[in-house]
Amino acid sequence: MDTGKNYEFILQENPREVHDYFLQDYIPSNGERYFSAKLLKKQKCKVSVFFVVLKGALAISIENAPFGGFRVEKRVTSDSFQFFIGELLLALKSMGVTELKVVQPPEPYEQNTPLINYMLKKLGFEVVDIDLHHFLEDKKFIKGFLYAKASKHKKKLKRLNYSVEVGGIKTFNFLKDIKWWVTLRGNEYLVPEEYLIRQVGEYPDRYHLVSIFQEEEVISHALCIKLTGNSLYYYLPAIHPNLQNGYTAEAMLFEVIKLGESLGVDFIDLGSSNLDGQANHELNRFKSRYANNSSNKMVWSIQLRDIK
């Protein structure tokens, strides 16, 4: 079958459209170019990807975000996806791009992720990084989890003189706390503050801050993001290392799950568990105690010099 007769490949620079995954609404910096590529059938989008071309001839989907990746409708066939990839690589090469890097999200964000990862490997892409994400999925599971642990949690908060604040982002003073705590632990602070502040200003309803205090002194923050309308991402948690006790991390996670339940999300992404590029075994064990699913975020790359 001649797949090209049934589909149309579209490449658009600086696309302006509403996304459920709002971080795809990218604003390029100097020297960057922002594109969308789509595969249409009868004017309906079947496959899409958004990417940024950086100064060094690298295209990435996408920059300054947890992930980008391909979005594929449920009934898209493998040969249709292969046709799309072929057209995309030829278009990128004609623009002078020498490498394409794609950060493909875990499966809860994209149900066709198994097909996508399978086809990327078969089409010559190589895995350059992989992160394991833990999830709490299903509203009934989340509600049952909270119900089972709420009484004990409340008693522990009272015993430890903990109080909790949950709300939107009013100031960015919490970033100073997090930076200081990360430094005290001897780790590198890698938060892109300028970009984050801009995103919060443009999408304030997507960002939520959970903070725990002990006798008026803040001991923990967790910045959470509604990356999509049906999800909550446990993006930036941090605890004061000198004030942490055995229940601080568990208390914070309970409050984040409680926030997710109040927002009515279908799943909560507890994020990856890396430390300086290596697996953080203690954190993996901690998250696995609460999660009921896990899935990998895959970073794929392909060199375009040999593409014909």
Side-chain angles (χ1 to χ4, degrees):
M1 182 179 70
D2 187 354
T3 306
K5 291 183 178 180
N6 300 306
Y7 291 92
E8 181 182 9
F9 176 81
I10 299 293
L11 186 68
Q12 181 181 0
E13 187 164 9
N14 295 321
R16 286 292 171 256
E17 50 191 88
V18 177
H19 307 280
D20 183 39
Y21 178 47
F22 73 100
L23 293 180
Q24 286 185 156
D25 187 14
Y26 188 85
I27 300 175
S29 302
N30 291 335
E32 297 180 345
R33 300 176 70 187
Y34 173 53
F35 293 87
S36 69
K38 296 181 179 180
L39 187 68
L40 306 183
K41 184 176 183 180
K42 296 180 180 180
Q43 300 304 309
K44 293 184 178 180
C45 183
K46 299 298 182 180
V47 184
S48 66
V49 65
F50 292 77
F51 60 91
V52 181
V53 178
L54 306 178
K55 296 178 182 179
L58 167 69
I60 181 169
S61 178
I62 54 181
E63 185 76 341
N64 291 324
F67 54 80
F70 296 98
R71 302 290 172 174
V72 179
E73 280 205 357
K74 186 176 181 180
R75 296 189 178 183
V76 168
T77 59
S78 57
D79 57 335
S80 301
F81 184 72
Q82 180 170 323
F83 171 77
F84 174 75
I85 294 295
E87 294 295 303
L88 174 63
L89 297 183
L90 288 175
L92 289 173
K93 188 172 183 180
S94 70
M95 294 162 50
V97 172
T98 59
E99 180 185 1
L100 171 62
K101 184 178 290 185
V102 177
V103 185
Q104 190 63 32
E107 192 169 348
Y109 293 101
E110 170 52 61
Q111 296 301 306
N112 253 335
T113 286
L115 170 66
I116 294 167
N117 288 336
Y118 166 76
M119 286 304 301
L120 292 178
K121 181 61 178 178
K122 297 304 180 184
L123 293 172
F125 285 74
E126 296 294 332
V127 176
V128 295
D129 200 5
I130 183 171
D131 286 330
L132 177 66
H133 282 230
H134 288 90
F135 294 88
L136 284 89
E137 292 187 290
D138 184 71
K139 291 180 180 180
K140 289 185 178 180
F141 176 85
I142 293 170
K143 186 175 183 179
F145 175 92
L146 292 172
Y147 179 80
K149 295 182 177 293
S151 178
K152 183 180 291 186
H153 173 71
K154 185 177 180 179
K155 291 177 181 178
K156 287 187 175 181
L157 290 185
K158 184 177 181 179
R159 179 171 58 83
L160 292 167
N161 292 318
Y162 279 5
S163 60
V164 181
E165 289 186 5
V166 181
I169 310 301
K170 298 176 182 178
T171 74
F172 291 93
N173 290 335
F174 71 95
L175 290 177
K176 297 179 181 178
D177 295 332
I178 292 176
K179 185 176 183 179
W180 173 236
W181 299 340
V182 169
T183 302
L184 287 176
R185 293 181 184 275
N187 299 325
E188 188 177 2
Y189 180 75
L190 299 174
V191 178
E193 289 190 0
E194 184 177 340
Y195 178 79
L196 175 61
I197 291 170
R198 185 176 68 186
Q199 289 295 329
V200 172
E202 293 181 3
Y203 303 96
D205 294 341
R206 295 282 193 141
Y207 290 84
H208 303 267
L209 183 66
V210 180
S211 300
I212 294 180
F213 297 80
Q214 186 175 44
E215 298 177 350
E216 307 301 322
E217 185 171 6
V218 64
I219 62 170
S220 179
H221 294 298
L223 179 62
C224 303
I225 313 174
K226 285 196 72 177
L227 291 177
T228 60
N230 68 336
S231 69
L232 184 69
Y233 178 42
Y234 185 45
Y235 166 57
L236 185 61
I239 299 174
H240 194 314
N242 297 335
L243 300 177
Q244 181 175 2
N245 64 47
Y247 190 65
T248 312
E250 188 173 345
M252 175 58 74
L253 190 56
F254 183 93
E255 293 296 332
V256 168
I257 296 170
K258 185 177 176 182
L259 169 64
E261 196 268 343
S262 71
L263 295 172
V265 300
D266 293 323
F267 64 91
I268 300 169
D269 181 358
L270 301 184
S272 62
S273 304
N274 297 332
L275 181 62
D276 298 329
Q278 302 298 314
N280 187 328
H281 302 299
E282 182 178 355
L283 189 54
N284 267 311
R285 283 193 296 269
F286 174 73
K287 290 180 179 179
S288 66
R289 286 166 48 195
Y290 303 94
N292 64 341
N293 192 16
S294 60
S295 181
N296 288 327
K297 177 174 73 177
M298 311 282 285
V299 183
W300 295 91
S301 176
I302 189 169
Q303 302 295 323
L304 305 185
R305 296 180 181 86
D306 298 328
I307 299 296
K308 297 180 181 180

